[in-house]
Amino acid sequence: MPVVDRRRFLALSAAASFAPAALLADPKAREQYMLQMNGYAVNAETPLELLTDYITPVGLFFVRSHWNPRTPDPKQWRLTVDGDVEESLNLSLDDLRKMRVTEVTCVLQCAGNGRALYTPSVPGVQWSYGAVGNAQWKGVAVRDLLERAKVKSTAQHLHTFGSDDPPGNVPPFHRSIEMEKVMSDAILAYEMNGKPLAAMHGAPLRLVVPGWCGDHWMKWLVRLSAQPQPQKGFYMDTGYRYPLKPGEPGVTFKPEEMKPVTELAVKSNITTAPKHAKAGAASTISGFAFSGSPDIAKVEISDDDGATWRSADLDARHSPWAWRRWSHRWTPRSAGKARLFVRATDDRGQTQPRESVWNQSGYLYNGWHSVDVEVRA
Amino acid sequence: MKLAILLAAALPLIGTKFGTLPEGKGKSAVESRCYACHSADLLLQQRLTQKQWTATVEKMMRWGAGVTEDEKPVIIDYLAKHFGVDNRSFKPRHTLPIAPVRQRP
């Protein structure tokens, strides 16, 4: 965890206000430059132009919090596993570290990333592009833990409980997730990018659900309960729901006309592009692409408003549900203003749409991303 | 006092500065009722209709925001006036995402 004194932070803040390019050139500063969306509970997104790594540095990784966390003493902390199991568990962090290790590299994206891009606008944190990152997660497979507890066949949903603490009558952020998904893909992570999980990312233990939106990735875990039915409460029955059928922009649905938001939508973004280019001369543009499907099949670029597309090169580095870095050598044909669009297609054949489907909570934004370039003769 | 306790317990961002609300009728009521759970930043970035603000304030009242019936229309009018659909004034602050979080007593 970087240690920065107040004077250095203020200097960085001032520098960031006037000279982002200087920050980009300073590797230390680069990890410390985030966009605060809410002071408390903490919500901060990454500037899109800094999401240029295959593995997003921890210090640059977006933070999403519903409430202020009670950060437990790791020595006192315990994870309880109960419900439809033959043997309830009460485990310390050391107990978990002694279990078989499972590692995954995958994308974490807030369900509401891109909410600010929807019209009409909807309430909530107005994320633009940077509530997303790709990280290495290390911990214990949920399957291993539940098999140790001898989970019963009656258990169809895993209820998840964190230690964050809402004030007043505010409903707690309690959730559940289908047993089939957690048993096949999910892990309980105690490390992120090779280091103990940071407090803001859910220390000492968080759920990692590859391919699914961040609302399932419960932070500050203290209890897992195997149950026959889904969790009840605001964040299951009203929040984090997506229309069963797409509606017109501005048309809202009742909770029963929606379903829980689960898989990520196929999506790509441009992270690096020149502001100026020369007609006939190649420039490199690059970015990332990911999906709720395990891999990306292709990424394409258009400079004629989507009439024609050219394939970008996909980086070889990949794991299921990790993002794919991509790059493309683009040669503008003539001088003037150019608009470059990017779209991705995943390995299920789902292609990113030009316009994202509007929904009343602003989830799963995945419309084509574009950048403007001034082309000189 | 409640705000001070929350901040002492939860300030995770070194050098964090919170946004401030524009002057106007209803500002003090918004500050006293909304700051217990979130900073002004969350309000400053919204672009909502009067109807959306009404629904949001009513949800917060159900969640214990402590808004009185007298305050309710004043707060809604303030929010709709300053953070309506044409609001484009919000610029996120540059900040640090990760720093120690103190344990609550």
Side-chain angles (χ1 to χ4, degrees):
Chain A
M1 187 180 299
V3 177
V4 178
D5 62 29
R6 181 173 172 82
R7 180 175 297 174
R8 176 167 169 75
F9 173 72
L10 292 174
L12 288 171
S13 298
S17 301
F18 301 107
L23 276 175
L24 296 177
D26 179 350
K28 188 171 180 61
R30 188 171 172 279
E31 291 202 2
Q32 299 160 351
Y33 171 38
M34 295 286 284
L35 301 174
Q36 175 186 309
M37 302 301 288
N38 192 24
Y40 62 92
V42 180
N43 290 282
E45 73 172 285
T46 317
L48 181 58
E49 66 271 21
L50 296 189
L51 287 172
T52 54
D53 301 283
Y54 177 59
I55 301 298
T56 309
V58 172
L60 205 56
F61 210 98
F62 84 95
V63 174
R64 170 71 173 118
S65 312
H66 282 84
W67 320 120
N68 299 318
R70 289 177 183 269
T71 310
D73 176 353
K75 293 179 180 174
Q76 303 296 321
W77 175 89
R78 293 288 186 278
L79 176 70
T80 298
V81 182
D82 59 22
D84 284 3
V85 295
E86 291 181 21
E87 294 180 14
S88 295
L89 304 176
N90 189 258
L91 303 173
S92 69
L93 201 53
D94 282 344
D95 295 330
L96 287 165
R97 287 183 176 277
K98 288 172 186 169
M99 293 181 67
R100 183 168 69 117
V101 172
T102 298
E103 295 183 70
V104 298
T105 297
C106 63
V107 163
L108 166 57
Q109 181 185 240
C110 175
N113 192 29
R115 178 178 291 125
L117 308 176
Y118 278 113
T119 303
S121 60
V122 296
V125 178
Q126 298 297 300
W127 305 109
S128 293
Y129 300 101
V132 62
N134 193 54
Q136 298 167 316
W137 311 95
K138 178 179 176 181
V140 176
V142 173
R143 169 181 286 276
D144 288 348
L145 188 77
L146 292 180
E147 287 182 347
R148 178 170 168 175
K150 296 186 172 64
V151 64
K152 298 176 183 175
S153 60
T154 50
Q156 297 297 309
H157 301 266
L158 186 65
H159 294 209
T160 59
F161 303 86
S163 63
D164 46 340
D165 187 22
N169 301 325
V170 178
F173 185 62
H174 291 166
R175 303 272 299 167
S176 66
I177 183 168
E178 285 82 353
M179 197 62 81
E180 182 182 355
K181 177 62 179 177
V182 287
M183 290 292 272
S184 61
D185 302 318
I187 76 165
L188 300 158
Y190 46 70
E191 286 190 13
M192 178 182 181
N193 295 352
K195 295 180 180 175
L197 206 56
M200 278 293 97
H201 292 299
L205 194 74
R206 80 173 304 167
L207 197 60
V208 168
V209 189
W212 283 28
C213 295
D215 50 300
H216 297 278
W217 296 44
M218 184 65 71
K219 300 200 286 191
W220 308 296
L221 273 172
V222 291
R223 182 184 168 213
L224 300 172
S225 188
Q227 296 290 336
Q229 299 295 329
Q231 179 89 258
K232 292 286 185 187
F234 177 82
Y235 290 103
M236 290 297 297
D237 302 329
T238 304
Y240 289 109
R241 295 180 80 84
Y242 192 83
L244 291 166
K245 295 177 182 176
E248 292 297 311
V251 175
T252 59
F253 293 95
K254 298 173 184 172
E256 59 269 27
E257 296 170 324
M258 300 190 286
K259 62 183 178 181
V261 61
T262 54
E263 284 191 358
L264 300 167
V266 60
K267 186 175 183 180
S268 58
N269 284 106
I270 299 166
T271 57
T272 306
K275 284 191 167 24
H276 304 281
K278 187 176 179 182
S283 298
T284 298
I285 59 174
S286 61
F288 58 78
F290 61 88
S291 176
S293 190
D295 200 3
I296 290 295
K298 63 180 175 182
V299 172
E300 299 168 294
I301 305 297
S302 175
D303 62 2
D304 55 7
D305 199 35
T308 61
W309 295 87
R310 292 169 184 260
S311 291
D313 295 325
L314 299 183
D315 191 292
R317 291 170 295 179
H318 183 65
S319 292
W321 295 291
W323 65 25
R324 280 272 196 179
R325 302 293 316 176
W326 59 265
S327 63
H328 179 67
R329 292 285 284 171
W330 170 64
T331 304
R333 284 163 283 199
S334 57
K337 291 183 179 178
R339 176 162 291 176
L340 298 176
F341 288 95
V342 62
R343 72 177 183 187
T345 299
D346 67 23
D347 59 357
R348 287 186 198 149
Q350 301 172 117
T351 298
Q352 191 176 347
R354 180 169 198 143
E355 301 290 340
S356 191
V357 176
W358 187 93
N359 60 97
Q360 65 215 59
S361 296
Y363 295 139
L364 293 173
Y365 185 90
N366 72 332
W368 294 352
H369 183 219
S370 67
V371 295
D372 292 338
V373 182
E374 185 73 34
V375 181
R376 295 167 179 160
Chain B
M1 182 63 182
K2 188 175 181 181
L3 172 63
I5 293 170
L6 271 174
L7 295 185
L11 257 187
L13 305 181
I14 298 172
T16 290
K17 294 178 182 175
F18 303 127
T20 54
L21 294 172
E23 295 298 327
K25 184 185 178 187
K27 178 189 174 190
S28 61
V30 169
E31 288 176 335
S32 67
R33 301 307 184 193
C34 305
Y35 281 7
C37 293
H38 49 74
S39 64
D41 308 84
L42 195 58
L43 303 175
L44 295 168
Q45 64 196 263
Q46 304 301 319
R47 294 167 289 131
L48 304 177
T49 64
Q50 184 101 5
K51 183 180 177 184
Q52 287 173 305
W53 274 122
T54 300
T56 300
V57 169
E58 288 175 347
K59 181 173 87 169
M60 296 305 162
M61 290 172 73
R62 290 194 298 275
W63 288 6
V67 176
T68 66
E69 286 301 324
D70 288 343
E71 288 174 326
K72 180 182 169 185
V74 177
I75 286 176
I76 291 170
D77 286 348
Y78 175 88
L79 294 170
K81 176 183 176 182
H82 293 283
F83 313 120
V85 292
D86 296 325
N87 175 31
R88 296 288 184 277
S89 61
F90 180 69
K91 295 284 184 296
R93 291 166 184 272
H94 299 124
T95 188
L96 294 178
I98 307 293
V101 179
R102 296 177 198 165
Q103 187 172 2
R104 277 192 175 186

